[in-house]
Amino acid sequence: MPRRLAMCAPDRFDVSYTINPWMQPDQWTIKRDSLRMQAKNGWHQLVETFRGLGAEIDFVEPVDGLPDLVFTANAAVVLDGKALIARFRHKERQGETAIFENFFRRLSTRGLIDQVHMMPEAVCLEGAGDCVWDSTRQCFWLGFGPRSDRAAADILEKIFGQTVVALELVNPHFYHMDTALCPLSGGEILVVEAAFSPADLARIRDMVGSHNMIPVPPDSAARLAANAVCLGRDLVLCDCSHELNLTITEHGYRVHQVPLEPFALSGGSAFCLTLALDRRSRQVAQAA
Ligand code: ARG
């Protein structure tokens, strides 16, 4: 279970451009000051929730002109002490690569990361946001299409030596894998069915078994409920329906709701705002 997380305070958070359907700068501007205040409050509550669950947090310094830097899930794919730094699809976020690279180089001088890898020029991969680790099946779920390229699968396999299951994200609202799918520590998986083609949905069901599929209904998907952080038996998310909360609880998890609504106006929520730095695959954990 990850215990060390990277986060970035929303001091420069803003919705000033549109790179996904959730982002509407005109709407945002009307209530900008109060939304930014709510964002800061919610983010601090998220920090306190993680600390209460025993996590340690390393902070990326906010940077002027990079409002989405707060979404540290997109910084890199991290597993077994290796970090593969993101290459972003849109020019609006490309400036973040150097900041995140720097952050990981500093972690490596502190002995918290062993290797820092960069993506080749031509291939996009937006970090853990599109490459979700499944500790039960020991595989990455890679979402490709809107932000990351399918070709990232080979690079991931080479660097991490793990299985990569590549699925196309077909719904523009669920443009990163972490908005569409969330593996829980006990083997269940939250899935936004509308995010995938029928064939890929069948593939997910085949891989995890119907009994492990917890569908996220449209009302909860619209609140980005699948964008949740699972720490053991604790699940941290912004909001979901009462029914989904009950289902998750019946599977043996404690649901922690944190008010992160302003981040949804940028297309993000709890998982996007964090990055696990100390995940280990079973192979490496057993060798240690
Ligand atoms: N506005 C950001 C973008 O469109 C939100 C990123 C959310 N991050 C995530 N891992 N889903 O890139």
Side-chain angles (χ1 to χ4, degrees), residues 19-20 23 68 71 74 93 129 147 175-176 178 266-267 272:
I19 55 171
N20 70 53
M23 302 175 86
D68 279 339
F71 299 113
N74 296 123
R93 294 199 67 180
R147 298 298 183 85
Y175 60 95
H176 273 144
D178 65 0
S266 186
C272 304

Side-chain angles (χ1 to χ4, degrees), residues 252-267:
Y253 298 88
R254 283 173 294 267
V255 177
H256 305 260
Q257 292 192 211
V258 181
L260 300 168
E261 286 81 1
F263 296 102
L265 301 175
S266 186

